[in-house]
Amino acid sequence: MEHMEYMQYIEYLPYLLIPLGLFLLYNGIKYTLRFAKSKMLFEMPYVNKEGNFQLDESGTYGIWLSGKMFTKAPIGEFGFAIVNEQTGKRISIMPSIMRTRVNGFTNSRIELYTFSANAGSYTLSLTNDPSLLDTVSGALGKVVSKKAVDYTQFSIQIYKNKPTILLFLCTWLIILGFFSFVGGIILAVLTGTKI
């Protein structure tokens, strides 16, 4: 008798798992796309070495390196300096430890640094003092590829910073949604439940 009741509950499980899986998949993909399609606030070709940008609101921002996929990047060759044009004060920047990467079909971008700043005008300059993390990454890149860097293929971009934990959560939503959906379908087939 208990076995029959157990089987009855199992037959209803696909009705829960499949919609739950679709809900999680939809939201995971939706928020991942929002994360990837953040509005770019500033872009400067790498070869320019310096540029001016305006921030309309106070907050935390990310400095990204963007370039063609599958090409050697100049990571480890440069650092950054950001100066407030009104006060002349240098803004403190922090290397991104858990680096967020966004890939398109032909281009890729990676967040290298973050900084907090008030609304105002700023000057961004490339310097010769990369972070330790960049220096190590650059050294590994030289071991992997001896090709010269084509600096014209890269640009520096600034985006509003979004916590990496959000991308992590979105990824898990997609994974859980997929397994819930597929598990619900497999369970329906095994139990002969009509969906």
Side-chain angles (χ1 to χ4, degrees):
M1 191 71 171
E2 284 182 14
H3 179 69
M4 292 294 289
E5 288 178 9
Y6 175 74
M7 287 304 294
Q8 188 178 9
Y9 289 123
I10 292 290
E11 287 177 3
Y12 290 117
L13 202 52
Y15 293 115
L16 173 67
L17 290 176
I18 292 172
L20 177 65
L22 288 173
F23 175 78
L24 293 174
L25 264 174
Y26 171 77
N27 283 298
I29 292 169
K30 178 175 79 172
Y31 289 112
T32 300
L33 290 175
R34 281 189 190 170
F35 190 89
K37 291 185 177 183
S38 297
K39 181 184 173 189
M40 186 185 351
L41 304 174
F42 170 72
E43 182 171 30
M44 170 182 82
Y46 179 86
V47 293
N48 284 11
K49 304 294 184 190
E50 185 174 287
N52 301 312
F53 64 95
Q54 179 81 28
L55 297 178
D56 295 330
E57 59 182 1
S58 300
T60 303
Y61 297 88
I63 304 173
W64 296 68
L65 177 67
S66 177
K68 292 238 182 230
M69 288 183 72
F70 311 115
T71 57
K72 186 175 179 181
I75 291 177
E77 298 182 17
F78 63 93
F80 293 102
I82 299 176
V83 176
N84 185 314
E85 292 179 358
Q86 285 79 31
T87 65
K89 289 184 179 178
R90 195 167 171 166
I91 302 298
S92 175
I93 63 173
M94 297 294 297
S96 293
I97 304 301
M98 296 187 62
R99 295 191 158 170
T100 304
R101 182 181 292 270
V102 176
N103 295 327
F105 290 109
T106 57
N107 287 351
S108 176
R109 62 183 164 96
I110 184 169
E111 186 180 53
L112 300 177
Y113 294 87
T114 60
F115 66 96
S116 295
N118 295 322
S121 299
Y122 295 87
T123 301
L124 173 71
S125 310
L126 270 66
T127 67
N128 293 323
D129 57 340
S131 70
L132 179 61
L133 181 61
D134 285 345
T135 303
V136 171
S137 296
L140 289 173
K142 287 177 184 173
V143 170
V144 172
S145 174
K146 302 290 184 194
K147 291 168 78 173
V149 176
D150 183 358
Y151 298 102
T152 61
Q153 298 294 318
F154 294 91
S155 66
I156 307 300
Q157 301 172 341
I158 294 180
Y159 290 84
K160 184 90 172 167
N161 183 263
K162 293 185 178 176
T164 309
I165 190 73
L166 291 179
L167 187 60
F168 178 78
L169 291 173
C170 289
T171 303
W172 274 104
L173 276 179
I174 292 170
I175 292 168
L176 290 173
F178 174 78
F179 281 110
S180 178
F181 177 73
V182 171
I185 289 176
I186 291 171
L187 199 57
V189 170
L190 292 175
T191 60
T193 305
K194 292 183 180 178
I195 302 172

